[in-house]
Amino acid sequence: AWCSYYGGKRLYCTSFDGHHVVDVMTRIVLSVIFSVLAFMMVLMMNKVIDRQKVCEAKTGEELREEGRLRRKNSSRSNSRPGSRSLSFADNVQLMCLKLEHNLVLGGSKTIIKAMAILVGFSWEEAFEGCVSKACERTKMIPPHLAEALLAALLAGMILPAWRLYILPNCEMRAGCEP
């Protein structure tokens, strides 16, 4: 995620601005661009996952139906009573489909998590730049003290919301009791 962020920042600065100075507006524009790209990437990954699930379900049903037909044909010819409904090759093909599904699902989740980290990094950089610029211009108190006060104020607003809404959802997904 860091490599993507700094690569995108360098590409943006050299392509559009013509110089290597990264100001606050550039950070915000990069954050918006990365957010839009991440949104589009998540939509594409969801389509891939959905298509994979449909393909796996169709192929699995086709193999099971073939196994049922073979079982009916083998029972008519009285070959072996109690034979399995699917052949060894069909079972291997089903196992490969499940493995492919798990790989696609795992890879998609990893890409989505990486995009989330990229968006978080970019907005953190933009926010940090805005706070620094705003605190540089204060004349009543020193900039480092203004930055600390602003951080405390924002933490006072964000932490209760995080505690009330985000943390219980994470605990619920992890199976923990709050």
Side-chain angles (χ1 to χ4, degrees), residues 3 20 32 59 79 111 118:
C3 293
H20 297 286
V32 170
T59 308
S79 60
I111 291 172
L118 173 63

mmCIF file of all heavy atoms in Angstrom, residues 3 20 32 59 79 111 118:
data_model
loop_
_atom_site.group_PDB
_atom_site.id
_atom_site.type_symbol
_atom_site.label_atom_id
_atom_site.label_comp_id
_atom_site.label_asym_id
_atom_site.label_seq_id
_atom_site.Cartn_x
_atom_site.Cartn_y
_atom_site.Cartn_z
ATOM 1 N N CYS A 3 3.930 1.539 -1.173
ATOM 2 C CA CYS A 3 4.564 1.666 -2.493
ATOM 3 C C CYS A 3 3.578 2.234 -3.509
ATOM 4 O O CYS A 3 3.939 3.091 -4.321
ATOM 5 C CB CYS A 3 5.075 0.313 -2.972
ATOM 6 S SG CYS A 3 6.431 -0.338 -2.001
ATOM 7 N N HIS A 20 7.841 18.772 -7.988
ATOM 8 C CA HIS A 20 7.815 17.721 -6.974
ATOM 9 C C HIS A 20 7.339 18.216 -5.615
ATOM 10 O O HIS A 20 7.523 17.527 -4.627
ATOM 11 C CB HIS A 20 9.206 17.100 -6.840
ATOM 12 C CG HIS A 20 9.657 16.426 -8.090
ATOM 13 N ND1 HIS A 20 9.148 15.222 -8.495
ATOM 14 C CD2 HIS A 20 10.551 16.792 -9.037
ATOM 15 C CE1 HIS A 20 9.715 14.861 -9.625
ATOM 16 N NE2 HIS A 20 10.577 15.799 -9.973
ATOM 17 N N VAL A 32 -8.632 11.423 -2.990
ATOM 18 C CA VAL A 32 -9.883 11.224 -3.735
ATOM 19 C C VAL A 32 -9.660 10.225 -4.875
ATOM 20 O O VAL A 32 -10.475 9.319 -5.099
ATOM 21 C CB VAL A 32 -10.431 12.565 -4.247
ATOM 22 C CG1 VAL A 32 -11.573 12.355 -5.218
ATOM 23 C CG2 VAL A 32 -10.872 13.438 -3.089
ATOM 24 N N THR A 59 -21.073 -25.918 -12.298
ATOM 25 C CA THR A 59 -20.222 -27.056 -12.616
ATOM 26 C C THR A 59 -20.426 -28.180 -11.604
ATOM 27 O O THR A 59 -20.484 -29.350 -11.978
ATOM 28 C CB THR A 59 -18.744 -26.635 -12.642
ATOM 29 O OG1 THR A 59 -18.609 -25.499 -13.497
ATOM 30 C CG2 THR A 59 -17.868 -27.741 -13.148
ATOM 31 N N SER A 79 -24.228 -53.727 -12.330
ATOM 32 C CA SER A 79 -22.778 -53.898 -12.293
ATOM 33 C C SER A 79 -22.294 -54.077 -10.861
ATOM 34 O O SER A 79 -21.834 -55.136 -10.491
ATOM 35 C CB SER A 79 -22.076 -52.734 -12.972
ATOM 36 O OG SER A 79 -22.407 -51.535 -12.294
ATOM 37 N N ILE A 111 -6.708 -8.387 -1.777
ATOM 38 C CA ILE A 111 -6.649 -7.171 -2.600
ATOM 39 C C ILE A 111 -7.539 -6.091 -2.010
ATOM 40 O O ILE A 111 -7.159 -4.916 -1.951
ATOM 41 C CB ILE A 111 -7.027 -7.487 -4.058
ATOM 42 C CG1 ILE A 111 -5.926 -8.333 -4.702
ATOM 43 C CG2 ILE A 111 -7.263 -6.209 -4.857
ATOM 44 C CD1 ILE A 111 -6.273 -8.867 -6.068
ATOM 45 N N LEU A 118 -4.468 1.343 1.551
ATOM 46 C CA LEU A 118 -4.027 2.430 0.668
ATOM 47 C C LEU A 118 -4.900 3.674 0.855
ATOM 48 O O LEU A 118 -4.391 4.789 0.978
ATOM 49 C CB LEU A 118 -4.060 1.975 -0.789
ATOM 50 C CG LEU A 118 -3.779 3.032 -1.850
ATOM 51 C CD1 LEU A 118 -2.363 3.569 -1.700
ATOM 52 C CD2 LEU A 118 -3.994 2.465 -3.240
#
